[in-house]
Amino acid sequence: PPRVYRPTESGVNGMLSGMGETSIGKGENGVLIVAGGQATRLRYPYPKGMYPVTPIKKKSLFMLLSEKVRAVSLRYGADIPLLIMTNPESDILVKRYFEKNGFFGLGRKNVLFFQQELLPSVSPGGKLVIREDGLLASSPDGHGGCLKAAFKSGVAGKLKERGIRRLFYCHVDNPLVKVLDPLFLGYHLRSEADFSLKTVRKRPGEKVGTFLYADGKAAVVEYIELNEVLDEGGSSHAVEAFDSGSIGVHLIELSFMESLFFKSGGLPYHRQEKELQIEGGKRIGIWKFETFIFDAIPFAGKVSCMETSREEEFAPLKNFSGMDSPGDVRKAMSSLHRKWLTSAGIRVKKKTEVEISPLFALDESDFARKMKGRKLLLQGKSLYIE
Ligand code: UTP
């Protein structure tokens, strides 16, 4: 079974966090947010990062994540470049949004945008498809596209010039992400890993990739494809332990990214079946192709994996309604922050919505420290702390 580090069972967390903090202070880490997806399930007409996600202030995902980067940067006194991957359609909107909002205080030179590529979609018969508007049907090449695009766009080169050695990678749609978590970074460094991932215990049938060992190599297998792997389990594949779900949080060494870009034939393509409206208003089934960032794992010399708690770090915004919908995400944020209050000795009613700005506190212990000796006046049904 894959080795998964569980901080709850370990006594060396302080030492690891210290290693991570030193590295952040040296200014050798960047942050990459992949935001090039089409967010079809959310049915939001703008790029997903612009979605007003927080329970009280309705901060957008971009604003919240940028504030997290800024808070880490202020806390450790280091400049942290923030990379945002867009797609050719969303690029201009995202750039304008950041400009209009003064780059959320990060400074223009610290925010670097680059575009992922598009891949043509085909009909199941393998034919190119013309969309309703007469253009060739195509779609972004998956979050794995960031490896190639970061180098082709020249952004990776700029990072190297700035002395950046690795990237903290996350998805735009998880507002609970602990940006550049020092413990995770410390564990990555001590493991001398090329690639690290965070996982949570999977819920039965949950649509996340599973961390496992297949053919003696660490890998993540996407939920759609896990059954195929299991079917082959009796033959060449040795597949064990399926309860570690990857949450799209990684640390990736730039040198490893570079070797992947220049040496390997690139990441494999995965086929997704979708529907598309074509000329004349007819809807047809199409195949689109995507690469996944975690397919880099089997190429890595060393991989490290750390388990975390879902309540603290994972609430993905995926669907318009039902599971992982905006309501779910707001609830998850509010209950986490309510827990921070409770453990700092402040009681709040269950119905009170709570939102704590990342610029006030980044985690539970940071919050407890800052609240010492302070009083809070609770009014009404919601509480925002900044
Ligand atoms: P998802 O695979 O959940 O896709 O992306 P999505 O675009 O958000 O939503 P659906 O499937 O269309 O409903 C997980 C993360 O990967 C990014 C997304 O922006 C999100 O942060 N991603 C996905 C890309 O950057 N590029 C892609 O081509 C696909």
Side-chain angles (χ1 to χ4, degrees):
R3 173 162 159 59
V4 175
Y5 178 65
R6 299 197 165 90
T8 42
E9 295 164 7
S10 161
V12 295
N13 295 342
M15 186 267 289
L16 293 177
S17 295
M19 280 177 79
E21 287 175 346
T22 308
S23 164
I24 301 174
K26 281 191 201 156
E28 56 184 30
N29 302 283
V31 173
L32 162 61
I33 299 175
V34 291
Q38 290 173 311
T40 33
R41 289 170 288 171
L42 187 63
R43 296 191 223 155
Y44 183 58
Y46 304 102
K48 202 194 250 186
M50 288 161 64
Y51 191 90
V53 74
T54 71
I56 298 167
K57 287 288 163 179
K58 307 282 179 257
K59 291 179 188 174
S60 69
L61 284 156
F62 279 140
M63 178 173 185
L64 183 72
L65 298 181
S66 301
E67 284 187 354
K68 290 191 185 202
V69 175
R70 191 158 156 240
V72 176
S73 172
L74 291 170
R75 184 165 172 180
Y76 299 102
D79 250 6
I80 300 175
L82 169 62
L83 276 62
I84 308 222
M85 182 169 81
T86 60
N87 69 43
E89 274 177 17
S90 67
D91 191 68
I92 188 79
L93 286 171
V94 174
K95 281 184 184 154
R96 274 199 202 131
Y97 181 70
F98 270 82
E99 256 161 40
K100 214 177 100 199
N101 288 287
F103 297 88
F104 300 106
L106 289 167
R108 182 184 285 265
K109 76 168 193 347
N110 287 324
V111 187
L112 303 142
F113 301 93
F114 65 96
Q115 292 181 37
Q116 67 179 112
E117 292 180 356
L118 297 174
L119 282 174
S121 308
V122 297
S123 71
K127 291 197 172 133
L128 293 172
V129 179
I130 307 291
R131 295 193 316 205
E132 202 182 17
D133 57 10
L135 296 174
L136 199 63
S138 58
S139 60
D141 61 352
H143 40 59
C146 67
L147 291 178
K148 202 200 300 178
F151 282 92
K152 274 189 151 180
S153 64
V155 163
K158 281 190 196 148
L159 292 184
K160 271 176 52 185
E161 278 164 24
R162 280 176 72 158
I164 300 297
R165 302 185 58 178
R166 68 194 63 80
L167 287 175
F168 174 87
Y169 164 108
C170 64
H171 291 171
V172 74
D173 55 12
N174 177 20
L176 294 192
V177 63
K178 274 192 194 166
V179 171
L180 269 175
D181 171 16
L183 177 59
F184 182 45
L185 179 55
Y187 183 59
H188 169 87
L189 292 171
R190 204 194 54 170
S191 314
E192 296 178 346
D194 290 320
F195 191 108
S196 293
L197 68 156
K198 271 195 187 179
T199 54
V200 296
R201 293 280 168 98
K202 266 177 75 175
R203 289 180 177 144
E206 187 172 3
K207 293 182 174 175
V208 292
T210 303
F211 182 53
L212 43 74
Y213 263 61
D215 279 343
K217 281 197 167 167
V220 166
V221 177
E222 183 61 338
Y223 57 92
I224 307 166
E225 284 158 10
L226 183 60
N227 285 346
E228 288 173 25
V229 176
L230 291 177
D231 289 345
E232 292 175 38
S235 52
S236 70
H237 290 265
V239 181
E240 296 172 63
F242 309 115
D243 70 343
S244 285
S246 171
I247 57 170
V249 172
H250 305 301
L251 280 161
I252 315 171
E253 290 294 312
L254 264 187
S255 54
F256 169 60
M257 276 176 76
E258 195 168 10
S259 72
L260 264 180
F261 176 66
F262 287 110
K263 288 195 202 121
S264 86
L267 301 177
Y269 294 108
H270 297 258
R271 191 182 79 201
Q272 321 257 18
E273 291 173 20
K274 301 271 162 168
E275 267 202 358
L276 184 84
Q277 194 143 316
I278 54 164
E279 277 178 309
K282 206 171 120 197
R283 289 188 79 79
I284 61 157
I286 56 154
W287 290 352
K288 64 179 213 181
F289 302 94
E290 286 192 353
T291 55
F292 299 151
I293 185 70
F294 49 67
D295 278 331
I297 294 177
F299 294 100
K302 277 193 183 165
V303 175
S304 83
C305 175
M306 182 174 130
E307 186 176 276
T308 185
S309 104
R310 176 189 299 276
E311 291 67 31
E312 283 181 32
E313 297 191 43
F314 188 50
L317 178 65
K318 296 288 180 196
N319 298 315
F320 170 74
S321 63
M323 226 174 69
D324 300 335
S325 62
D328 265 13
V329 174
R330 279 195 293 270
K331 234 185 263 161
M333 294 185 78
S334 192
S335 16
L336 177 67
H337 290 167
R338 200 172 318 112
K339 185 172 159 259
W340 292 7
L341 282 167
T342 318
S343 52
I346 304 156
R347 291 238 314 266
V348 274
K349 285 196 194 122
K350 251 198 137 174
K351 276 197 185 144
T352 310
E353 279 204 301
V354 185
E355 181 179 331
I356 300 167
S357 167
L359 291 162
F360 181 78
L362 276 165
D363 53 43
E364 189 171 314
S365 53
D366 191 19
F367 182 75
R369 223 178 8 252
K370 299 215 168 114
M371 285 312 291
K372 242 184 211 149
R374 286 213 201 183
K375 277 201 178 140
L376 265 186
L377 195 60
L378 296 185
Q379 275 179 334
K381 277 200 194 133
S382 59
L383 174 68
Y384 175 69
I385 305 173
E386 69 177 347

